[in-house]
Amino acid sequence: MQKMPDIGFGLWKVDRDNCADVVVEAIKAGYRHFDCAADYGNEVEVGEGLQRAFGEGLVTRDALWITSKLWNTFHDPAHVEAACQRSLNDLQLDKLDLYMIHFPIALEYVDFESRYPPEWFANPDADNPEMRLASVPLHQTWAAMEGLVEKGLVDQIGVCNYNSALIHDLMAYAKVRPSVLQIEAHPYLTQEKLIRLAKQYDIAVTAFSPLASKSYVEIAMAEQSDSVLTEQVVKKVAEAHEKTPAQVILRWAVQRGTSIIPKSTDPGHMRENLAITDFSLTERQMNTITALNANRRFNDPGVFCEQAFGRFHPIYD
């Protein structure tokens, strides 16, 4: 079974206008894993970038690992295959390396022709738009995900944003075991118990938002002052290794056994984020960075669903 690269490229918040160019540039920089999702709204442009790269001989399909995710409105088993096929069509691919449940949140179905990507509101044009839940148990969604593997549409399946209890529950009924758990993880949210549990079940862990608040400042979900890159202990370790604070944090994440999916549209930063394999942190340096943990979660449905969509819907205690 193919192994997912330790360092991937995240497509969340990459503008459609330059997304194809960004994908090509990332491939030139050396990225071989692209983390996509229907909800990011740019899979068509990602597909265009991939096809350009293939056509220019920059890379072959077999050399890439492409991830996509099932959105909340498609949890009903009747819609899972169609949602996957839509992502495949947009990405111009025959198969995904990994397909994941994006959130353990089932929302009311929205037809492709009505709105795509559907996002969170069931009726965004209404005077009082609503986030409407759907009565779909996660085990039914997972069974449909297993069907995608059986039909050859995806090689592996996984889950995002699951907590420990949901992982235990999933492992009790999964016929096709999840290969990857994708979670928010960084020095302010180390998630040590959850990562240890995943490894106990032989589930690989991908850390999204590995640089903590960096992804959230521009969408008003964090402040500039929340940056882990300005922590004195991080800057001290960076100076010791003649690396940037970002490189130190990304190295910490990989060295603790998680893969990462940083994002940058700047070619220099793309290459910088990849250049973390030529040094190692000492045990003391690792522990010092881990000690920054404050259980600070930036991507929390228990916060943003209420603020943005008018519904209190926590999935973490």
Side-chain angles (χ1 to χ4, degrees), residues 1-6 65 156 259:
M1 184 178 290
Q2 184 181 2
K3 182 182 182 296
M4 185 171 62
D6 287 338
W65 178 289
Q156 299 180 37
S259 63

Side-chain angles (χ1 to χ4, degrees), residues 186-187 190 248-256 281 286 289-290:
H186 43 72
T190 54
V248 165
I249 295 304
L250 296 179
R251 178 64 206 179
W252 169 85
V254 170
Q255 197 165 315
R256 72 196 292 249
L281 304 181
M286 289 288 293
I289 294 172
T290 300

Side-chain angles (χ1 to χ4, degrees), residues 52-307:
R52 277 173 48 190
F54 298 153
E56 294 173 17
L58 299 177
V59 71
T60 63
R61 172 64 183 95
D62 291 345
L64 295 181
W65 178 289
I66 308 297
T67 296
S68 188
K69 305 179 189 78
L70 177 79
W71 185 238
N72 305 341
T73 53
F74 305 126
H75 273 217
D76 190 298
H79 308 306
V80 170
E81 183 175 341
C84 178
Q85 192 62 62
R86 174 62 185 258
S87 285
L88 286 171
N89 292 344
D90 287 350
L91 293 166
Q92 300 185 53
L93 300 175
D94 296 323
K95 178 184 285 192
L96 292 169
D97 298 282
L98 175 66
Y99 196 50
M100 314 186 79
I101 294 176
H102 203 148
F103 281 97
I105 301 172
L107 296 181
E108 184 178 284
Y109 174 66
V110 176
D111 186 83
F112 297 139
E113 302 304 320
S114 299
R115 190 173 68 255
Y116 190 86
E119 301 183 322
W120 292 83
F121 281 131
N123 53 344
D125 297 326
D127 291 337
N128 295 297
E130 299 173 292
M131 174 183 154
R132 297 175 185 162
L133 302 183
S135 298
V136 183
L138 286 169
H139 73 86
Q140 292 183 3
T141 306
W142 187 256
M145 296 282 285
E146 293 174 329
L148 302 178
V149 178
E150 295 168 3
K151 292 185 177 182
L153 296 175
V154 305
D155 277 338
Q156 299 180 37
I157 50 179
V159 294
C160 306
N161 302 299
Y162 270 43
N163 59 28
S164 295
L166 289 179
I167 292 293
H168 285 303
D169 188 57
L170 171 59
M171 298 306 291
Y173 58 73
K175 296 177 181 177
V176 177
R177 297 166 69 91
S179 60
V180 180
L181 166 66
Q182 187 177 122
I183 54 172
E184 180 182 350
H186 43 72
Y188 288 157
L189 182 68
T190 54
Q191 303 246 52
E192 291 167 85
K193 289 182 180 179
L194 182 55
I195 291 172
R196 180 180 174 186
L197 176 67
K199 291 179 179 179
Q200 180 174 296
Y201 279 126
D202 198 26
I203 304 171
V205 177
T206 297
F208 72 77
S209 303
L211 296 175
S213 65
K214 189 173 177 65
S215 298
Y216 299 95
V217 173
E218 64 192 72
I219 54 176
M221 291 171 66
E223 304 293 335
Q224 289 285 358
S225 59
D226 292 323
S227 177
V228 70
L229 303 181
T230 60
E231 292 280 357
Q232 287 301 314
V233 294
V234 174
K235 293 196 286 188
K236 184 176 179 180
V237 174
E239 291 171 3
H241 289 280
E242 298 183 341
K243 294 289 184 177
T244 67
Q247 287 174 313
V248 165
I249 295 304
L250 296 179
R251 178 64 206 179
W252 169 85
V254 170
Q255 197 165 315
R256 72 196 292 249
T258 63
S259 63
I260 52 175
I261 44 173
K263 181 216 79 174
S264 176
T265 57
D266 177 85
H269 287 159
M270 288 182 189
R271 289 167 172 78
E272 178 185 300
N273 290 343
L274 280 173
I276 62 170
T277 60
D278 60 348
F279 74 106
S280 295
L281 304 181
T282 66
E283 182 177 358
R284 181 176 180 179
Q285 290 169 337
M286 289 288 293
N287 292 339
T288 299
I289 294 172
T290 300
L292 293 171
N293 180 54
N295 295 319
R296 175 70 164 89
R297 191 183 300 276
F298 294 98
N299 195 324
D300 188 349
V303 176
F304 70 73
C305 283
E306 185 170 28
Q307 293 177 344

